Amino acid sequence: MPNSIHRSLETCSLADSIDLESRAVTAECHLPHLIKNENVVNFREQAFAWVKKYMGGPWARAELKHFRCKGMRGDLTNYLYICKLIQWDGENDGLKILKLEADFPTKITLKVYGEIENYVGFNKIEMMTLNVILAERHYIPRIFALFPDGRFEMYEKSRQLRAPEIRKSEVTNHLADYLADYHAMVMPFGKYGGRLEESLDHFHSMALSTEFEDEDKAKLMKKIVRYNIDEELETLKDICFPCHDEVVFCHNSLGEGNLLLTGHKDDRRVQVVGCDMSSYNYRSYDFGHFFATMQFDFGTSDFPYFSRDRSFIPSEEDRREMILRYVRRLDLPVAHQKVTEEKIMEYSEKFMLAAHFLHGCWGIVQADVSELQFGYLEYALACFQAYFEHKILNNL
């Protein structure tokens, strides 16, 4: 296991029959979550240009015929690829050259930032700084190169955890420990809790200004608008704010899609990814976000490429068990543990609403700008349905 990701991985005993290669798919196949299926050749040339310019070493000396690029499932915002060099004709053996230059791997991951990250309100410089720090602290894979459109990272064979697996106590215990460590980090960014409210305002404004010419999308948007999301944001703010929870450095996107299973048959490990949106925030939001997303499964093979199962919504007992493990990891005085536990229980229930609402607005915007194959508007509608169900059932 590469040393650069030890910090983000912990042993997790799951089924040994897992096919780790299932996350990788060839870019020539018409499968969900792949960029520009009709224009793969041009993208391969673009990826090769980035490799030559930013990776150096044998990558810079290669020709296009030596370069391979495969798409990967998983990310609903950014585009993921596996890039590798193959042996080439002539006197030089590319693989032998690579083995002699230990700093240059034979295979790397390429992440290309999605369209939504080019909109006003997204601080790309802060995100790049964040990822460099997290890589140095071994929370994410080693970064080989950063550039304006994306980055190259260390590749490791993996696949996403599915919704039924995430409910396992081995996983939730690991995530509780992970959050306790993550929240303890000190980072050089604004240390205030207003980021959540700013994000809600930002995506809400973008969502309301989005219009669709496509007839099917326009019909779905009308269904969403019937939920009165314009005025509902103020109701949500009244429920969630002011918040008297601790402000810590949060992941902000913990859930399926950002939880991978890596390693070998006798050493399965859970790796947390998707740290790009991390910031200082209310501690309980990480729990609220995680609990809210547990009912969604993004591994389905048919459109809209997700399903929702209400039975996966964690019970109060399950939520408390994870929160209690987290609190014990904080090493607080006994007198403070119960107070902290109850505070996180209270606020995480409210922040489940915030997560649903934010994801709903995000889905509307993604449906307009993203080329990824995913039912974003269907997902937005499901999120707003989950929002109001949670609000009514819990008298919020």
Side-chain angles (χ1 to χ4, degrees), residues 65-298:
K65 62 183 180 181
H66 310 140
F67 179 72
R68 295 293 182 268
C69 184
K70 297 167 65 176
M72 286 197 291
R73 300 175 186 266
D75 199 315
L76 296 180
T77 300
N78 304 299
Y79 302 98
L80 301 178
Y81 299 89
I82 302 172
C83 298
K84 67 178 181 178
L85 292 179
I86 61 171
Q87 289 186 353
W88 56 78
D89 297 331
E91 297 180 357
N92 293 324
D93 180 333
L95 294 180
K96 290 182 179 178
I97 291 176
L98 286 168
K99 290 175 182 177
L100 291 174
E101 301 184 42
D103 290 339
F104 294 92
T106 59
K107 186 184 294 186
I108 54 178
T109 298
L110 166 62
K111 172 179 280 192
V112 182
Y113 302 134
E115 295 86 351
I116 201 170
E117 296 187 356
N118 292 317
Y119 275 64
V120 176
F122 181 77
N123 191 331
K124 192 173 289 187
I125 294 177
E126 182 174 308
M127 186 191 69
M128 289 182 173
T129 304
L130 163 68
N131 281 286
V132 168
I133 296 173
L134 291 177
E136 289 179 346
R137 297 182 183 182
H138 308 312
Y139 278 95
I140 63 174
R142 177 183 174 186
I143 296 175
F144 294 111
L146 293 166
F147 55 99
D149 294 294
R151 62 180 182 263
F152 291 107
E153 300 177 345
M154 178 179 289
Y155 168 78
E156 184 174 11
K157 190 181 294 184
S158 65
R159 76 152 178 85
Q160 289 185 342
L161 285 178
R162 298 289 297 274
E165 297 167 326
I166 293 173
R167 301 179 67 199
K168 293 177 178 290
S169 59
E170 301 98 317
V171 175
T172 56
N173 286 343
H174 163 70
L175 295 178
D177 295 344
Y178 175 90
L179 285 179
D181 293 341
Y182 205 82
H183 288 173
M185 281 197 291
V186 177
M187 300 291 276
F189 308 114
K191 300 172 177 60
Y192 65 101
R195 287 283 185 98
L196 175 56
E197 195 166 356
E198 290 174 359
S199 295
L200 286 166
D201 286 334
H202 177 66
F203 281 101
H204 181 251
S205 175
M206 292 178 67
L208 291 180
S209 64
T210 301
E211 297 180 356
F212 297 99
E213 295 183 2
D214 179 84
E215 184 177 348
D216 292 335
K217 288 185 176 181
K219 288 180 179 178
L220 274 175
M221 188 64 183
K222 286 182 179 179
K223 289 184 179 180
I224 294 172
V225 170
R226 291 195 190 108
Y227 280 105
N228 197 24
I229 60 174
D230 187 1
E231 297 180 7
E232 185 62 29
L233 177 60
E234 294 306 314
T235 302
L236 173 62
K237 289 183 178 180
D238 289 340
I239 294 172
C240 294
F241 310 112
C243 179
H244 303 291
D245 196 12
E246 292 289 329
V247 174
V248 298
F249 191 73
C250 290
H251 184 282
N252 291 330
S253 300
L254 192 68
E256 186 183 350
N258 289 328
L259 300 174
L260 306 181
L261 197 67
T262 67
H264 305 287
K265 182 176 180 180
D266 299 325
D267 186 24
R268 299 296 190 212
R269 299 171 183 269
V270 173
Q271 180 180 6
V272 180
V273 295
C275 302
D276 290 0
M277 295 296 106
S278 295
S279 69
Y280 278 90
N281 196 355
Y282 299 112
R283 170 174 55 195
S284 298
Y285 182 75
D286 267 343
F287 290 94
H289 184 281
F290 178 65
F291 297 148
T293 57
M294 288 179 74
Q295 61 193 279
F296 292 97
D297 184 347
F298 299 104

